[in-house]
Amino acid sequence: MELDVLYRNEQHSLVRFFTRYRASPEDARDLVQEAFLRLSRIDLRRSGSISRPAEYLRQIARNLLKDRAKAARRHAVDAHVNADDCDLVGIDELRRLEARDSLVRLEAAIKSLKPKTREIFMAHRLEGLSYAEIAERTGLSVSGVEKQLGRAVDQIDRLMGRP
């Protein structure tokens, strides 16, 4: 059995075989190497000659896929963590209250804006409109929209207690 001739004849079909079973091209090439390594380790003096080495190699390839699947299942079982074994963090009431308070203050700050400024702020922050689109909608210039947004942000920051 000429291993190098067998390799040249069978390597491409083995790579296709392995990639058909969802191995990446790199993993498939590694598996081909592993299959040939296993084949090369067979002691022919003890087992006799191999009459159909290509078929024997394909059986090695199938066994490699089975071994890989078993290892993946073992890894999945080992990686599984039971929810009962974990300390789950409870709801932090203080944070929830602080968040609610922040939202109330933000809503009040936005409501305190002049109507035109509020409209511009909401169009930009909530609707995602550009300065040019807001300018077209409101009849202001782009620089006028920029100034209104700057005022809105300054007033909201001040009312929210931000520096």
Side-chain angles (χ1 to χ4, degrees):
M1 173 179 57
E2 292 288 325
L3 200 56
D4 59 334
V5 172
L6 184 63
Y7 181 80
R8 282 193 301 269
N9 291 339
E10 298 298 324
Q11 77 167 352
H12 296 294
S13 66
L14 282 176
V15 167
R16 283 192 306 273
F17 171 77
F18 287 125
T19 54
R20 209 171 326 142
Y21 289 97
R22 308 222 172 155
S24 69
E26 184 177 301
D27 286 344
R29 288 188 294 274
D30 289 344
L31 287 165
V32 168
Q33 294 295 322
E34 178 66 25
F36 276 96
L37 181 64
R38 287 187 184 185
L39 182 63
S40 71
R41 289 182 176 161
I42 294 173
D43 186 1
L44 294 177
R45 288 172 290 186
R46 289 168 91 199
S47 61
S49 68
I50 299 172
S51 61
R52 294 189 300 241
E55 288 181 32
Y56 195 83
L57 187 61
R58 283 195 175 33
Q59 185 58 48
I60 291 173
R62 284 189 289 277
N63 290 340
L64 279 170
L65 285 175
K66 289 176 187 176
D67 292 348
R68 192 174 187 214
K70 286 178 189 175
R73 280 192 300 272
R74 270 194 314 274
H75 178 72
V77 167
D78 292 344
H80 177 75
V81 176
N82 192 339
D84 295 335
D85 298 337
C86 294
D87 293 329
L88 300 176
V89 178
I91 297 172
D92 185 351
E93 284 297 320
L94 180 61
R95 286 182 111 166
R96 199 177 94 199
L97 289 172
E98 286 174 348
R100 187 183 314 163
D101 181 54
S102 250
L103 285 174
V104 168
R105 286 186 295 130
L106 178 61
E107 185 179 13
I110 291 172
K111 283 182 179 178
S112 74
L113 297 173
K114 293 180 181 174
K116 187 71 134 182
T117 305
R118 183 174 48 247
E119 176 189 352
I120 291 169
F121 178 81
M122 299 297 273
H124 182 65
R125 293 295 174 107
L126 292 180
E127 296 176 42
L129 297 180
S130 69
Y131 291 176
E133 291 169 324
I134 297 170
E136 187 177 312
R137 180 191 278 185
T138 60
L140 294 173
S141 65
V142 172
S143 66
V145 170
E146 289 173 355
K147 287 177 189 175
Q148 289 291 324
L149 273 170
R151 287 183 189 136
V153 170
D154 288 343
Q155 185 174 343
I156 290 169
D157 282 346
R158 192 175 57 256
L159 292 172
M160 295 291 293
R162 296 182 202 147

